[in-house]
Amino acid sequence: MARFIYKYGAMNCGKTTQLLQNAHQYTEIGDKVLILKPAKDKKGDTKIVSRIGASQEVDYLISPRDNIIRLITEGDNVLTSCIMVDEAQFLTPTQVEQLRIIVSKFDIDVFAYGLRTDFKTKAFPGSIRLMELCDKMEEINQSLCECGEPAIFNARFVNGKMVTEGAQVAIDGFDSVTYKPMCAKCYYLKKAVSEEKPLMRSKKKHNDLH
Ligand SMILES: [Zn+2]
């Protein structure tokens, strides 16, 4: 019986590397694998690129309006044994439902690799639906916070300064945005510092003098 697996983790946890290895195992035994990526992820253009430099051209870039069931029933795509989705948090909830139907109706394994939460620690709409509909969730816990603890959150930096406000989606490397995987302790400590008002800071300094 085909399965719907959601593999999640913080940024830089090795999701794409795992996807490429997993896809290789399928193709090695002669199975057809389709690799999908939401078009929202502008990084790497039509490729998925792992941290260690391995990359592969995707079969389809998925726009929010695309129907994945329709895509699977086109041409010889129905002969696919497995679908792998990179950056699956960017799928719409409807597209996650389409994947669920594909697993059950066409007996195709689906592996969705993605983030659980955004830079505000809130789940992406696609991630929520993945958690609700998958057969199994597996955490990929390979990214470390700078303190050495396992990272579970993704802190956003704009021009090197941590931010906790802004649009849910801002792609790493575009518009001076970067991300750092963080443990919860560091995330909340740094969040408090970044949100500290200049007035409070000077007051604190004033108190320190007395
Ligand atoms: Zn930490």
Side-chain angles (χ1 to χ4, degrees), residues 7 12 14 18 38 48 62-63 78-79 88 92 95 101 103 120 127-128 157 165 167 171 178 180 190 192 201:
K7 292 187 176 243
N12 301 337
Q18 275 207 14
I48 54 170
I62 305 294
S63 298
V78 77
L79 300 172
T92 66
Q95 287 169 336
I101 292 166
V103 175
K120 296 178 188 170
S127 309
I128 294 172
F157 292 78
E165 295 297 326
I171 304 298
T178 54
K180 257 189 213 170
K190 288 181 167 48
R201 208 174 278 159

Side-chain angles (χ1 to χ4, degrees), residues 63-175:
S63 298
R65 286 173 161 219
D66 286 343
N67 182 326
I68 306 177
I69 298 174
R70 195 171 300 150
L71 189 149
I72 285 303
T73 47
E74 275 173 3
D76 63 354
N77 282 345
V78 77
L79 300 172
T80 298
S81 305
C82 175
I83 295 172
M84 307 224 174
V85 189
D86 199 25
E87 306 293 349
Q89 73 278 359
F90 293 148
L91 293 172
T92 66
T94 303
Q95 287 169 336
V96 175
E97 282 172 38
Q98 290 163 359
L99 288 174
R100 176 70 265 179
I101 292 166
I102 288 167
V103 175
S104 310
K105 190 172 172 187
F106 300 95
D107 207 31
I108 294 173
D109 287 325
V110 172
F111 292 86
Y113 293 80
L115 301 173
R116 183 172 56 160
T117 56
D118 66 10
F119 72 111
K120 296 178 188 170
T121 74
K122 302 280 187 184
F124 290 90
S127 309
I128 294 172
R129 208 67 189 119
L130 281 161
M131 289 187 257
E132 289 166 340
L133 295 180
C134 72
D135 290 308
K136 195 177 171 195
M137 286 170 63
E138 287 178 14
E139 185 177 18
I140 306 175
N141 200 350
Q142 287 179 8
S143 58
L144 294 180
C145 177
E146 55 193 7
C147 74
E149 289 296 316
I152 58 164
F153 296 143
N154 308 294
R156 180 185 291 173
F157 292 78
V158 177
N159 291 317
K161 190 179 179 304
M162 182 167 163
V163 294
T164 52
E165 295 297 326
Q168 185 173 47
V169 179
I171 304 298
D172 191 21
F174 290 81
D175 303 320

